[in-house]
Amino acid sequence: MVRTSTGVVQVTSSDVRHSTPKVTVTQEPPTTSQTRTTPGPSVSRGPPTTPGPETLGPFLMSSTERWNTPGTTDRHPKLLDTSTVAGIADQTSSLTPGGGQEDAVYANTIQLFAPTTTPISCQNFRNHTSHLLKNNGFTREYEALPGDFCDSVNDAILPQNISRNRFKGLYPYDNNRVVLRPIERDDTDYINASYIDGYKESMAYIATQGPLPGTIPDFWHMVWSEDCGKIVMLTNLVEPPKVKCAKYWPDEAQSEAYGHYSITCLKVNTYSHYVHRVLSLSRSGDQENQEARKIHHFQFTAWPDHDVPNPTALVIFHTLVRHSPTLHEGPLLVHCSAGVGRSGTYIALDILTREAEATSCVSVFPTVRHIRRQRMKMVQNLAQYWFLHEALAEALESMDSVIMAHDVLHGSVWKSDDKTSQLPDGVRKKLLAQFQALDSQRPQPSMEQTKTARQQENVWKNRFPDILPVEEYRVCLWTPDESASDYINAVFLPSHYDHMGFIATQLPLADTVLDFWRMTFDWKVATIVQLIDGPPDQHSDGLFPVPGSHISLGPFTVCSKDASPWLHGIHRQTLMVQNKEVGDIWQSVQVYLVSSPDILNMKNTAPWLSLTKVLAQVPSQGTPPPVLIQCFDGASKSCFLIALAITLRSIDENGQASPYLIAHLLQNARPQAFMHFEEYEFLICCMVDHLRKTNKSLPDDQEVIDQSIRWQNENTYGNI
């Protein structure tokens, strides 16, 4: 990014790929509207009252027709000097009379240039985004989007409705707001929510603010009246120091009444980046019709306040929502806090992926322009507009990567007549194309992103000069030692349930064994898997004590309690670890030693499937400690095992998985993951074998595996 003397910031191609473009903030007074004294007619879902050329959706006419059709643009475009950058207005409002919160809401200025209005082919989309980045195109396109108050907002600012708005100056337009059916005579028909068109589908979405405590009954009334089967929530309830949304659902296995509706939380599954709840919605007091509707509630929990999330994580979440079935045919309901920034970004991503599936092209600017005319500030700022392109690029590259369990078990494409190959030729060809895309988009961390690993006092601790921990994912040590260094070549990687569920690390060097045990103790590691093949000098003698003995390293004593063969040539060892400076508390550690070349050459799926069943357990309570996976380079086999554990858990719980996206998510922290096609192919082979075995009966190893799991649950801590 380049900052000029006037304070204007330009996004440049030298910026880190996943960093957030910054923009200048200037003041712009809020627009005012006349107040109407009588509310409009009470109607249910229907077309806008004054349909324009784009009423039926942004893609019912071509991009050129939409741009050139009279009435479809606010202003005629004109070219700007390339040094001109749009400002993002920062309207900091006070409390509204009804309790609206103080927050920053953004609006673009009126400066314009000719944006990209023609569809871009999916194949060329990455090149297109690179061109925008190099030529300040993101900023210039963003400033060409419609501003605020494209239509009247009279209903939103009526005295009886103003307190129902979370933010001052952020209202739905009169012509396409969701109009509630009044249940009682004195009810208002107002809720801060807008219909949004989809790809060749009118009113495919509802974008709404996060409910206030007093509007929760209205929210559920809207869900019922509009026959919504899925709710997408893109905020946490609290993002310190601000309350972003009222909690509008009960805890698991609990019920709560909200106005005329009763909600029961049937199930909650918490994952590394999102939560999936299954809710039962029924209408109270309706004795003739005791209908209970199943509502799927998807909450994305990894969107940082005033920033953008990891695009791969959001695409994985979006893929789950897309492929989750529902019996209800109403709009997809999407909300964040204000219902414009994150919500607009997610809705635009969904529209564009559907356009890509139908036409192999995407129209980003026309799509965002259209949804902004339906709800103000959709895709709220420049950073989100840039992020939309990043997430869309990943979605396009992974579009055909989702594997459905039913297809593997019953689809003809997965059946092979070749007994020498585990996968059909057609599947292998598709996987090769996916791997090539994965390899071409492999992250390239900058020196700044790996600065700690490159410090003079740490360089010697790295086995390989090009396999370095990225700062954002680096594991830090707490237990002090003589060097006072917190560095070890190890990174956090997500599990299916926790964004820090695994630690991937290299085999320690002779002088970093103490750091290994510092890490094990500091992060309360209870399970270690060592994946080391090759000559004995690669096994780091002295890392683990031989059975019946102990080793002492600094303040640590590590005792071997027992050791025995486990399954498939894998050995299991039970260790007890004590830090003498902390007290007489021993930490139990279960170690699985995998050294057989027959296992590590990735030909036999059975040992790998057995290991993942031990690693990928549902936490019974709280957040479990990370599982430590160790291989020679800290990347190749460690990341493979972690990817396999996530993939199998995803396909078991959701009936679907995208190994491509899972592998790419791990590459963000360990770019050296999946360097070879054979690793990616074997990942799919393991998944297929897992599905076929579990579909018929439990594998023969299940009893032994269950015993290991019980041991881990019962013996994490103890006294020796």
Side-chain angles (χ1 to χ4, degrees), residues 142 340-341 344-345 348 368 371-372 377-381 384-385:
Y142 179 80
V340 293
T345 306
V368 178
I371 65 176
R372 273 210 167 195
K377 305 182 191 297
M378 294 287 271
V379 188
Q380 191 173 3
N381 52 49
Q384 290 173 353
Y385 189 68

Side-chain angles (χ1 to χ4, degrees), residues 410-481:
H410 306 291
S412 59
V413 70
W414 287 91
K415 294 179 181 178
S416 176
D417 296 327
D418 184 1
K419 306 229 183 242
T420 64
S421 175
Q422 291 181 274
L423 298 176
D425 289 341
V427 172
R428 292 189 79 251
K429 184 177 180 180
K430 184 176 179 179
L431 294 179
L432 180 59
Q434 290 177 12
F435 175 78
Q436 289 169 344
L438 191 68
D439 193 48
S440 68
Q441 298 304 321
R442 191 179 301 277
Q444 302 293 330
S446 65
M447 294 186 67
E448 178 65 21
Q449 289 177 299
T450 54
K451 61 182 180 182
T452 302
R454 296 177 183 275
Q455 291 174 1
Q456 184 175 359
E457 62 269 27
N458 296 329
V459 169
W460 64 271
K461 299 180 181 181
N462 304 308
R463 266 192 186 275
F464 299 96
D466 58 338
I467 302 180
L468 307 176
V470 177
E471 290 295 314
E472 182 181 351
Y473 307 96
R474 184 172 70 86
V475 177
C476 295
L477 305 178
W478 302 338
T479 301
D481 73 340

Side-chain angles (χ1 to χ4, degrees), residues 245-276:
C245 180
K247 185 170 181 283
Y248 56 87
W249 65 88
D251 293 333
E252 187 173 13
Q254 301 294 315
S255 297
E256 192 80 38
Y258 302 99
H260 294 274
Y261 296 92
S262 177
I263 315 297
T264 301
C265 186
L266 303 176
K267 184 172 67 172
V268 179
N269 288 326
T270 302
Y271 303 105
S272 58
H273 298 100
Y274 62 92
V275 180
H276 178 203

